[in-house]
Amino acid sequence: MSNVNMIEGIIIASFDEDDRLRQTLASTGRPYVILNRFLSGDYNCVAIDTRVAAYKGVRHLIDLGHRRIGHLAGRLGRFNGEMRLQGWSDALREAGLVPHDDLVAEAGYDPEKVPDAVDLLLAAGVTAIHAATLLTGAAAIARLHALGRKVPQEISVVTMHDDLLARVVYPEVTTVGLPTQRMGRAAAERLVRLIEQGNDGPTVVQENILLPPDDLIIRDSATVLNS
């Protein structure tokens, strides 16, 4: 018996286009759970509500007095990139601000694309940057340092997710925590139930799981806007 045939279920995290991911899942013939995204028409997905996470981060910048807040976007057109863009937009609109297109610059998850994206946001006159990922947020701080811009005195930066990187860059990064371990545990628990269902166990409710983000963690990368 091959190793593949010994696998009872699959947890998959993929950046593939929706149609390609569906083909991959169909070819496995095994119960599966999709991690960190929702797939339209599928109910075996576990993700974190990064729309709310982005909203929290941008709301913090608004409370600090910022009004020109740029969004250093993830991969637009995909689940998480669009969720985070929506959270940024929702926070601005709630505060009576307009989410203009020139306040959005896409870097995806590639720190090498961050310098050009940051330059675009600075050209738009932002006083603060909300980064869709911790890695691109750290890269944005590095770019601002390279340009001689002081963080947070001139430009504040807020991002999401919290790990060692947030605490070793200078200044330490204000961020919204994401419960990644809880997401992994929820995915594993759902997969076990799906496997048991296939062995005449109880039926699993067809409902995706969207976990709320953790709290805002205030550090030194964002401050009150100097008027």
Side-chain angles (χ1 to χ4, degrees):
M1 182 180 293
S2 69
N3 290 335
V4 173
N5 289 333
M6 294 175 65
I7 295 172
E8 293 187 77
I10 298 168
I11 295 175
I12 184 167
S14 170
F15 291 125
D16 285 345
E17 297 283 354
D18 286 1
D19 288 345
R20 183 174 180 182
L21 178 56
R22 288 190 181 93
Q23 291 173 4
T24 300
L25 294 170
S27 69
T28 68
R30 299 289 189 276
Y32 63 84
V33 174
I34 301 168
L35 192 68
N36 201 34
R37 66 186 278 189
F38 281 7
L39 183 65
S40 177
D42 201 298
Y43 296 98
N44 296 319
C45 307
V46 180
I48 297 169
D49 195 339
T50 53
R51 183 197 68 81
V52 172
Y55 172 88
K56 284 185 174 185
V58 177
R59 183 70 250 181
H60 177 62
L61 290 168
I62 293 169
D63 291 343
L64 292 173
H66 295 277
R67 295 298 178 266
R68 294 285 293 178
I69 301 170
H71 180 58
L72 187 59
R75 296 176 70 182
L76 298 179
R78 303 293 182 89
F79 177 78
N80 276 300
E82 291 297 326
M83 289 272 282
R84 296 169 200 205
L85 178 67
Q86 188 63 53
W88 167 81
S89 176
D90 288 348
L92 292 185
R93 292 185 187 281
E94 184 183 89
L97 306 172
V98 179
H100 292 291
D101 290 344
D102 65 346
L103 296 177
V104 178
E106 183 176 358
Y109 307 112
D110 185 352
E112 293 184 355
K113 295 181 179 179
V114 169
D116 288 343
V118 167
D119 291 352
L120 288 173
L121 295 178
L122 292 176
V126 302
T127 64
I129 293 173
H130 174 262
T133 73
L134 175 58
L135 180 59
T136 55
I141 292 173
R143 178 58 177 171
L144 292 167
H145 288 330
L147 295 172
R149 304 298 291 270
K150 294 180 180 179
V151 181
Q153 294 88 344
E154 294 180 66
I155 305 290
S156 288
V157 177
V158 169
T159 183
M160 65 177 67
H161 188 45
D162 185 43
D163 64 19
L164 180 62
L165 178 60
R167 303 187 295 279
V168 298
V169 300
Y170 177 80
E172 294 185 7
V173 183
T174 293
T175 190
V176 176
L178 300 179
T180 53
Q181 290 187 350
R182 185 149 42 97
M183 177 175 63
R185 184 167 57 250
E189 291 171 350
R190 169 63 71 89
L191 183 59
V192 168
R193 291 197 296 271
L194 288 170
I195 293 169
E196 290 174 345
Q197 175 181 271
N199 295 325
D200 297 325
T203 300
V204 178
V205 176
Q206 287 194 328
E207 182 178 43
N208 289 328
I209 299 172
L210 190 63
L211 300 171
D214 293 333
D215 294 334
L216 175 75
I217 302 164
I218 298 176
R219 295 196 178 98
D220 299 328
S221 65
T223 192
V224 175
L225 175 66
N226 292 320
S227 56

